[in-house]
Amino acid sequence: MYGGPGAGSPSGTPKLFDLERYRIILFDQRGCGRSTPHASDLATDISLNTTEHLLRDMEQLRAQLGVERWLSFGGSWGSALSVACAERHPERVSEMLPAFWLMGRAEVDWSAWEDAVLSLEPHGKPAPFSDRASDDLLAFARICAHYAANNGWLEDGALLRNAGRLAGIPAVIMHGRLDLSCPYDAAWQFAQAWPNAELVAFDDAGHKGSPAMHDHVRSTVARFSVL
């Protein structure tokens, strides 16, 4: 799943999976990426773009594609959304690979600095958000501000309090210790509340990951593919 909210699905995700073993499903949140209507059009009503709408979209997509159960893989906002979806439909999730962001109040306040802190990471690059195409940047700004102003329509701490619903779902939580955009304590707290989750921290990784983290993702999805 994508970051954001409103960032669109990442192009590099399929490279982490063996395409002979996995069917990859990428989708863009309402209003961004290849979704229409696009939020860069100021006439697009984003009041119908909420977490509840996205959860319904995901379930409709799963049913339409005939997927009984799926491995959920998300980072940043995608991890919060994937956890919310799994807590609502735990029977539909086989495994999870979240890189945690819980859309808490403190994390939302951190998002004002995201462009700056990501550019300072060991594997970062200048202006990781502001170098997007103008339409994508406008959509991202509208959607992200819309979600931040409403705390993602998630009661603060609700995802953590409902972690018990994920019992029985294997998960590997991967998190960079240098991630200032999604603080490490959220991943640690969730790992304590989720008995089936393994927390792996990477000293050389920030929000954008590192070669070591990407290698671990590959080995983990390969392990999950034979379960």
Side-chain angles (χ1 to χ4, degrees), residues 157-175:
L159 293 180
L160 184 60
R161 289 194 299 273
N162 293 328
R165 298 177 183 176
L166 305 176
I169 300 177
V172 177
I173 300 171
M174 301 186 196
H175 209 93

Side-chain angles (χ1 to χ4, degrees), residues 1 51 55 58-59 70 72 79-93 96 98 100-102 154-155 157-167 169 189-190 193-194:
M1 294 184 186
T51 300
L55 294 176
M58 292 169 66
E59 181 60 12
W70 51 12
S72 181
S79 67
L81 189 60
S82 66
V83 167
C85 186
E87 289 182 347
R88 179 170 296 191
H89 302 288
E91 74 283 358
R92 299 301 186 188
V93 181
M96 295 186 69
F100 261 87
W101 191 52
L102 298 179
L154 295 169
E155 184 182 343
L159 293 180
L160 184 60
R161 289 194 299 273
N162 293 328
R165 298 177 183 176
L166 305 176
I169 300 177
Q189 290 179 60
F190 222 92
W194 189 354

